[in-house]
Amino acid sequence: MSLELSDSIQWIKGVGPKKAELLSVLNVSTIRDILYLPPRKYLDRSEIKLIKDIRVNDEVTVEGKVVSVNSRRSRKGKLLCDVSVYDGSGIIVGRWFNQSWVKDRFNTGDRLFFSGKVEFYRGLYILNPDYEFLTEEETELIHTGRIIPVYPLTKDLGQRFMRRTVNYVLQDFLEKIEEPMPSDMLKKYDLISLDKALYNLHFPENKSLLSKARERLAFDELFYLQLFLTLNRQKARERKGISFEIKSNLEKKFLSALPFNLTPSQKKVLSEIEQDMSESYPMNRLLQGDVGSGKTVVAIAAMLISVSNKFNVAFMVPTEVLAYQHYYLMKKFLSFLSVPLWLLVGNMNQSEREKILKEINKKRGIILGTHALLEEDVKIPVLGLVVIDEQHRFGVNQRAKVRGEGHPDILVMSATPIPRTLALSVYGELDVSTIDEMPPGRIFSKTKWVRNPQNRARVYNWIKEKISKENCKAYIVFPLIEESESLDLRSIEEEAEYIKKTFFSDSKVAILHGRMKSREKDKIMKAFKGDEVDVLISTTVIEVGIDVPQANIMVVEDADRFGLAQLHQLRGRIGRSSNKKSYFIMIADKDSITDRATLRLDTLENISSGFKLSEVDLVLRGPGEFFGTKQHGFPDFKFFDPFAMRNMIGVVRNAVKNVIKKNSEDKFLEEIERIRGKSQFLDIA
Ligand code: ADP
Ligand code: MG
């Protein structure tokens, strides 16, 4: 049997269906996939150090024998495990805190590698070293004596298995890799060939080839992404969209009825949107602005243009809680304009739903909803504009799928600010408008990181006082990934009960989480907006968009479990009223969180503006904590690092331009089709 790169990984020697199943968790299902699986990191075993030559702060790998395994309690009550290794020249300790498995994993006499950063406290030690056992017969060069890859793993898959499998695949399949880039391009951009890059990605001959390999793969990744975005955009511009008549009475009336004037920044982006809407091609625009910068009113103005041109609007938001909030807000604003507004959410009863679906065929208005708008039976007639709020919460593919005939204008909104060059490269098919100032009178929330959880009681007692004396309202937020296990949820409910009983027995407390019925959620949010609830204990369902101006205190429990962007979003829920000081309090035990979490919380304590945060992030951290995760709508690059490799963005843009210029479009598309089957990177766009 002759295998192809596109065949299942299970046919590779030593893999089989069971291991293939495990590999699929790492997004590896074909033989090609494993070639493109980037190692998590590398261990340089080409230069194993003697312990006697090691200095503090060095990143090292040592090879030796375990001479003792020691576990004890520190004075503060932490479990401390020390594994001492001797290599003939000296002794170094591998140290773990609060990891009870350690003492069972290591035995005196084991031969192993330790890798990590060397620290000193009454002797040399490595905190949480990477380790790998060495068996007597272990001589294969793929495991030692060179720079070796360390792969991301899932349960029951070992490094050895991964290395061996990758090695087989490289031996047998590397020659099947076709070079998609013409050689003049490789030369011009100083790139190594694809097969060489893939080989050196896994088993680099030396460090410089490793970085050339990563560079080549990053280049490809960015190149195909930008190529497709550019082509999409060209295609989109050729489409016939709607040329809206911009002078709209509805919009004018709406804006003059607002209790405030638009900020200059809001005016600027609104005119950019209007310009786009008047053009004959369909608008495809990203509106970005920090949390609380006032994107919603701008979006409503655009919606009214569509409605007064007798076109429907679809307005999609990521959560039900947010859908209800926008619904009430817009009802309030729109009732005097007699613009129909429909709310379509997940668990509505059938008759209600059918009624709405019937009505949107008769009248022109705004259909507001959650993912429910994407369902099969929802076809919005005469669709003029699609607005997507908090777009970073939607998958890229979900964005495009609101159904309707023709080519409606599209406006997506995001509160995760991205530096402009970066936005262009990853949202290449979108034009970008940015609101870069806050409405006047905003005072930033005071942010405090409570480093010692023993002070929790003081925090809650202080809040209690604030509530009774100053009429404050507070959120208490727990980290819970909504899809996660019910166990987690139960522990939060218990915790909430405890907090309620202990500190807020005289206050009105409610609990909110994602798995409640939408009616129930809505009822609780209403109560919190009104007088019936003062303390809202919640999961992250309130993370995005929620606007309860009277709420001016937020406590985040286990704050280290949230990302920087997420915490900033949460913080954006308070400080929405100019006449009350607001407080954002993060609780996390400074002694038991990671360095990165410490840096995050420190940064948040010191910086209030989202744009500043993103800049700082860029400088401070390199690979962005801020945009780090998929949930923020950033494409999930495998090789391209938007921060460390940001100079590549301009180079690739030029490469794309040249390629498009050189090829007549037909021929070019053929070429793309040919490549499509051969590249890993085409599905991220
Ligand atoms: P976001 O950009 O986070 O979606 P919102 O649209 O929710 O922000 O606006 C935040 C708050 O600021 C809302 O209460 C809104 O009514 C108010 N707001 C918006 N624009 C202005 C403005 N120009 N002046 C004063 N308040 C404003
Ligand atoms: Mg918003």
Side-chain angles (χ1 to χ4, degrees):
M1 183 172 56
S2 161
L3 288 173
E4 292 302 320
L5 286 162
S6 55
D7 285 323
S8 165
I9 187 76
Q10 69 163 308
W11 307 115
I12 297 298
K13 189 173 160 196
V15 181
K18 265 210 194 105
K19 288 256 166 57
E21 183 73 34
L22 295 171
L23 280 167
S24 72
V25 179
L26 302 174
N27 285 325
V28 172
S29 47
T30 66
I31 297 169
R32 182 187 280 110
D33 290 342
I34 206 165
L35 281 178
Y36 279 90
L37 179 71
R40 185 164 61 79
K41 60 181 208 169
Y42 302 84
L43 301 178
D44 190 352
R45 290 189 183 157
S46 58
E47 293 176 75
I48 290 168
K49 278 241 167 98
L50 288 178
I51 292 171
K52 76 172 169 48
D53 297 331
I54 285 173
R55 276 192 219 114
V56 177
N57 283 332
D58 284 354
E59 285 276 350
V60 299
T61 298
V62 299
E63 180 187 346
K65 214 177 233 171
V66 174
V67 288
S68 75
V69 179
N70 223 314
S71 92
R72 62 196 146 88
R73 293 258 159 214
S74 74
R75 251 180 297 141
K76 281 187 177 166
K78 281 196 212 164
L79 180 68
L80 194 74
C81 281
D82 278 355
V83 175
S84 305
V85 165
Y86 176 68
D87 74 345
S89 80
I91 286 187
I92 194 163
V93 170
R95 179 164 297 161
W96 286 263
F97 282 105
N98 291 334
Q99 310 278 321
S100 53
W101 51 267
V102 172
K103 62 178 189 312
D104 303 321
R105 175 98 27 114
F106 298 91
N107 290 302
T108 316
D110 288 343
R111 282 190 50 206
L112 47 63
F113 293 109
F114 265 173
S115 309
K117 190 166 160 214
V118 180
E119 311 196 42
F120 186 87
Y121 179 75
R122 297 180 181 168
L124 296 175
Y125 72 98
I126 303 177
L127 192 62
N128 302 321
D130 272 295
Y131 63 91
E132 207 175 300
F133 293 105
L134 204 64
T135 54
E136 283 306 329
E137 65 274 25
E138 194 66 75
T139 50
E140 273 174 277
L141 220 58
I142 58 170
H143 299 294
T144 183
R146 58 180 307 162
I147 302 176
I148 59 157
V150 178
Y151 293 96
L153 295 179
T154 60
K155 215 167 135 270
D156 300 330
L157 285 182
Q159 289 299 347
R160 283 164 184 279
F161 164 78
M162 293 297 290
R163 271 177 222 142
R164 215 175 294 125
T165 309
V166 170
N167 194 41
Y168 284 139
V169 171
L170 284 170
Q171 307 279 327
D172 292 350
F173 292 88
L174 206 55
E175 60 192 30
K176 297 202 177 190
I177 293 282
E178 250 189 273
E179 178 57 65
M181 295 259 181
S183 57
D184 58 329
M185 219 172 127
L186 293 183
K187 205 184 254 160
K188 180 164 180 192
Y189 299 108
D190 191 22
L191 300 168
I192 62 174
S193 65
L194 184 57
D195 54 353
K196 194 166 174 185
L198 286 170
Y199 183 82
N200 280 281
L201 172 69
H202 298 285
F203 295 108
E205 286 160 43
N206 54 48
K207 279 190 179 143
S208 103
L209 267 172
L210 172 59
S211 73
K212 291 301 280 178
R214 292 214 153 232
E215 196 182 305
R216 166 66 207 261
L217 293 165
F219 190 97
D220 278 23
E221 190 169 31
L222 199 58
F223 179 78
Y224 292 120
L225 176 64
Q226 292 207 6
L227 187 61
F228 277 89
L229 292 176
T230 310
L231 289 176
N232 278 349
R233 187 180 155 124
Q234 275 185 1
K235 275 230 183 87
R237 290 259 155 160
E238 285 158 18
R239 280 192 200 120
K240 187 93 189 81
I242 307 153
S243 302
F244 289 101
E245 173 69 47
I246 296 305
K247 290 212 172 58
S248 148
N249 264 331
L250 287 178
E251 186 198 9
K252 214 159 116 203
K253 274 194 200 151
F254 165 68
L255 290 178
S256 55
L258 286 175
F260 47 75
N261 293 319
L262 294 188
T263 62
S265 206
Q266 283 170 315
K267 283 189 186 144
K268 183 193 74 196
V269 300
L270 182 55
S271 73
E272 286 165 359
I273 292 169
E274 288 172 350
Q275 179 60 36
D276 254 7
M277 290 183 76
S278 72
E279 300 284 353
S280 65
Y281 56 79
M283 168 166 78
N284 214 357
R285 188 169 282 276
L286 167 70
L287 171 56
Q288 56 171 1
D290 203 353
V291 186
S293 62
K295 296 182 287 293
T296 317
V297 285
V298 173
I300 295 176
M303 293 183 216
L304 291 174
I305 294 175
S306 174
V307 175
S308 66
N309 279 266
K310 303 275 182 291
F311 283 91
N312 275 323
V313 176
F315 184 13
M316 190 161 84
V317 303
T319 65
E320 279 182 7
V321 179
L322 192 51
Y324 277 99
Q325 173 186 294
H326 278 326
Y327 183 73
Y328 298 127
L329 177 94
M330 289 171 70
K331 262 241 117 64
K332 200 170 78 192
F333 278 137
L334 299 183
S335 55
F336 75 104
L337 296 173
S338 344
V339 172
L341 175 66
W342 299 280
L343 178 68
L344 202 67
V345 290
N347 40 20
M348 260 176 144
N349 72 43
Q350 197 55 29
S351 63
E352 241 177 308
R353 189 186 163 83
E354 273 161 16
K355 191 172 143 235
I356 292 176
L357 294 181
K358 221 181 257 158
E359 274 182 25
I360 61 176
N361 275 295
K362 289 195 213 122
K363 296 188 218 160
R364 300 293 163 252
I366 298 166
I367 302 114
L368 162 64
T370 54
H371 301 80
L373 291 182
L374 301 177
E375 271 157 38
E376 202 67 52
D377 61 332
V378 182
K379 292 203 183 63
I380 301 172
V382 216
L383 184 58
L385 174 67
V386 177
V387 179
I388 296 170
D389 198 9
E390 312 287 351
Q391 67 88 28
H392 55 281
R393 296 292 296 258
F394 292 98
V396 180
N397 292 328
Q398 281 177 331
R399 269 177 232 162
K401 283 192 192 140
V402 178
R403 283 177 188 78
E405 71 248 30
H407 300 295
D409 281 1
I410 294 175
L411 179 66
V412 302
M413 304 197 282
S414 168
T416 307
I418 297 181
R420 195 178 153 73
T421 46
L422 218 50
L424 285 174
S425 77
V426 296
Y427 295 124
E429 88 276 33
L430 300 175
D431 296 297
V432 181
S433 290
T434 305
I435 301 183
D436 51 14
E437 68 187 319
M438 291 301 239
R442 267 316 144 70
I443 344 168
F444 285 122
S445 306
K446 188 168 169 43
T447 298
K448 174 87 190 139
W449 170 18
V450 175
R451 290 160 169 79
N452 182 352
Q454 281 173 0
N455 289 330
R456 265 176 98 204
R458 275 176 52 198
V459 170
Y460 285 125
N461 281 323
W462 173 81
I463 294 176
K464 182 176 158 183
E465 199 144 299
K466 280 284 204 195
I467 289 174
S468 65
K469 290 208 177 120
E470 295 173 34
N471 242 335
C472 292
K473 274 176 186 290
Y475 295 96
I476 298 172
V477 182
F478 282 91
L480 172 70
I481 310 148
E482 291 294 344
E483 309 81 68
S484 80
E485 288 139 39
S486 49
L487 194 77
D488 235 2
L489 182 59
R490 207 164 49 221
S491 66
I492 282 177
E493 278 171 338
E494 273 165 26
E495 192 68 23
E497 270 316 306
Y498 169 79
I499 289 175
K500 192 169 152 181
K501 261 216 262 7
T502 321
F503 303 105
F504 299 109
S505 50
D506 318 328
S507 315
K508 293 161 274 185
V509 182
I511 300 176
L512 184 75
H513 59 75
R515 246 165 297 150
M516 290 173 157
K517 291 240 159 55
S518 36
R519 294 261 171 233
E520 209 175 337
K521 278 189 270 190
D522 180 39
K523 218 174 90 193
I524 292 172
M525 282 313 295
K526 264 196 196 135
F528 188 51
K529 276 192 181 177
D531 287 333
E532 301 100 89
V533 169
D534 293 326
V535 180
L536 184 67
I537 301 180
S538 164
T539 61
T540 49
V541 284
I542 52 108
E543 177 186 334
V544 288
I546 296 305
D547 190 33
V548 181
Q550 313 92 290
N552 66 327
I553 299 174
M554 180 178 286
V555 179
V556 180
E557 290 274 1
D558 294 330
D560 58 296
R561 287 178 56 187
F562 295 92
L564 189 60
Q566 216 178 359
L567 286 167
H568 182 63
Q569 274 278 350
L570 284 167
R571 180 165 63 180
R573 300 307 116 225
I574 55 171
R576 293 180 159 247
S577 142
S578 51
N579 55 22
K580 241 185 206 159
K581 242 184 118 157
S582 58
Y583 304 88
F584 183 67
I585 301 161
M586 307 175 288
I587 301 182
D589 182 358
K590 81 174 192 329
D591 287 334
S592 65
I593 66 178
T594 63
D595 287 353
R596 289 179 79 83
T598 305
L599 198 52
R600 270 200 306 267
L601 300 182
D602 270 338
T603 306
L604 273 157
E605 220 178 12
N606 291 309
I607 296 179
S608 308
S609 128
F611 281 95
K612 276 245 178 61
L613 275 177
S614 73
E615 275 166 31
V616 167
D617 196 56
L618 220 147
V619 179
L620 252 185
R621 248 150 301 204
E625 189 76 45
F626 205 82
F627 311 112
T629 54
K630 253 193 283 199
Q631 63 159 326
H632 293 100
F634 220 55
D636 199 18
F637 291 114
K638 277 188 186 174
F639 301 102
F640 173 66
D641 179 333
F643 299 89
M645 299 176 174
R646 62 182 178 280
N647 292 337
M648 198 184 272
I649 295 173
V651 177
V652 169
R653 282 172 71 92
N654 278 331
V656 167
K657 256 195 218 141
N658 288 337
V659 166
I660 291 183
K661 218 170 24 193
K662 242 189 7 228
N663 298 272
S664 76
E665 189 165 358
D666 290 351
K667 189 170 140 236
F668 187 65
L669 284 179
E670 253 170 54
E671 182 63 11
I672 296 299
E673 280 311 314
R674 199 180 69 79
I675 299 171
R676 186 189 278 277
K678 300 186 165 59
S679 170
Q680 268 287 300
F681 300 127
L682 301 184
D683 45 350
I684 54 174

